[in-house]
Amino acid sequence: MAAGNEVSTTYYIQHHLQNLTFGHHPVNGWSLAHSSEEAVEMGFWAIHLDTMGWSIGMGLLFIWLFRKAGRVATSGVPGGLQNAVEMVVEFIENLTRSTFHGRNPNIAPLALTLFVWILLMNTLKIIPVDFFPVLFAKLGVDYMKIVPTTDVNATLGMALGVFGLILYYNFKVKGVGGFARELSLTPFNHWALIPFNLVLEIVSLLVKPFSLAMRLFGNMFAGEVIFILIAMLPFWAIWVLDVPWAIFHILVVTLQAFIFTVLTVVYLSAAHEHH
């Protein structure tokens, strides 16, 4: 019996942590994966449909909310949505003004997009862990992870996008020669230490997207695992633990969106600075 419970528990955890994966299987061809083993066998180019779908959905929700707030905006007494949007916009404006030291009108909109988009994706974690998997199972879908930021592919994809902007603005603002000199002569401004500087600076540069991705993924994934573990407890214990953890996690999901955004602005600010 104990062995059966252990298998059941392991299956429950693995099932909730498995993405809905579509790709080319060596045997089944183009198909949905029906197990984690099939998902692995599909290789690098397999797509996590749930991650893509929910992240795009949250992006569209962000656009719809802000567009609606803009259309109903009034100079008189604002409504609840207008108040919320204005608070977020003002918060991001203050953050960008205090953190970004260059001149680029694209940084504040980028920061706003990142913050709200990540916040919306993170907030999906507050929905009970069994709700959507059970709902989609009734529709014939075996797996459904609804929080995109618990998928390292999503967080790494966003981080690589930021990394591309870091490289772009470094080359645009400083030029190829200026960026090369910065990598070669920082932190030690001496020709004999150029190899050491290059190793140090290149490693530091490459760590930025990795740290951005893993910080967000690690915190969200750990929270997801805890929610799953709580869901396996007796009914009375679920309410005792799940509600306080969900309330605490509201702070976590907001904080992680803020950290990703502020680090992005800091990195892009550094890309606009001459040394």
Side-chain angles (χ1 to χ4, degrees):
M1 185 67 178
N5 287 337
E6 182 179 348
V7 172
S8 178
T9 299
T10 302
Y11 173 78
Y12 179 85
I13 295 174
Q14 290 177 342
H15 182 274
H16 279 66
L17 295 179
Q18 174 66 36
N19 287 97
L20 177 63
T21 307
F22 177 80
H24 188 270
H25 190 268
V27 176
N28 303 327
W30 291 100
S31 61
L32 292 173
H34 298 290
S35 66
S36 58
E37 290 77 13
E38 284 191 13
V40 171
E41 290 168 355
M42 287 178 175
F44 177 80
W45 295 109
I47 299 174
H48 291 172
L49 297 180
D50 44 9
T51 296
M52 293 291 292
W54 288 102
S55 60
I56 293 172
M58 291 302 100
L60 294 175
L61 177 61
F62 161 58
I63 294 171
W64 179 79
L65 286 173
F66 275 65
R67 184 173 182 270
K68 182 178 179 181
R71 293 182 66 180
V72 302
T74 175
S75 57
V77 179
L81 178 60
Q82 184 180 340
N83 266 327
V85 168
E86 287 180 352
M87 286 176 59
V88 173
V89 171
E90 183 178 355
F91 169 72
I92 294 298
E93 281 183 347
N94 292 333
L95 169 66
T96 307
R97 190 176 294 114
S98 61
T99 308
F100 184 75
H101 305 300
R103 296 184 63 183
N104 190 331
N106 296 319
I107 300 302
L110 172 65
L112 177 66
T113 301
L114 282 175
F115 178 76
V116 179
W117 190 30
I118 294 173
L119 181 61
L120 289 173
M121 289 190 288
N122 289 353
T123 305
L124 289 170
K125 187 181 288 293
I126 307 302
I127 300 172
V129 294
D130 284 326
F131 181 77
F132 279 105
V134 171
L135 176 62
F136 277 88
K138 292 179 179 179
L139 299 174
V141 179
D142 294 331
Y143 302 101
M144 181 54 60
K145 276 182 65 179
I146 69 167
V147 186
T149 47
T150 61
D151 185 352
V152 70
N153 294 283
T155 60
L156 190 58
M158 290 188 292
L160 288 175
V162 173
F163 184 63
L165 289 175
I166 292 172
L167 294 179
Y168 171 75
Y169 284 116
N170 266 303
F171 285 118
K172 181 180 180 181
V173 174
K174 304 167 186 177
V176 176
F179 187 35
R181 282 193 298 273
E182 181 177 292
L183 293 177
S184 304
L185 300 175
T186 305
F188 303 107
N189 190 10
H190 193 281
W191 65 267
L193 294 173
I194 287 179
F196 177 79
N197 288 337
L198 282 174
V199 172
L200 192 65
E201 288 299 304
I202 291 175
V203 169
S204 176
L205 186 65
L206 295 178
V207 162
K208 289 177 179 178
F210 182 77
S211 63
L212 270 179
M214 297 309 296
R215 183 183 292 105
L216 179 58
F217 163 72
N219 281 277
M220 292 299 101
F221 185 80
E224 183 82 350
V225 171
I226 292 175
F227 274 120
I228 293 172
L229 294 176
I230 291 175
M232 294 189 299
L233 296 175
F235 178 81
W236 61 269
I238 291 177
W239 285 101
V240 171
L241 297 175
D242 195 48
V243 174
W245 179 247
I247 294 173
F248 169 74
H249 221 64
I250 293 174
L251 174 63
V252 174
V253 300
T254 307
L255 181 62
Q256 290 306 312
F258 170 76
I259 291 174
F260 194 101
T261 303
V262 73
L263 286 177
T264 297
V265 176
V266 168
Y267 293 155
L268 291 175
S269 179
H272 285 72
E273 295 174 357
H274 289 276
H275 296 282

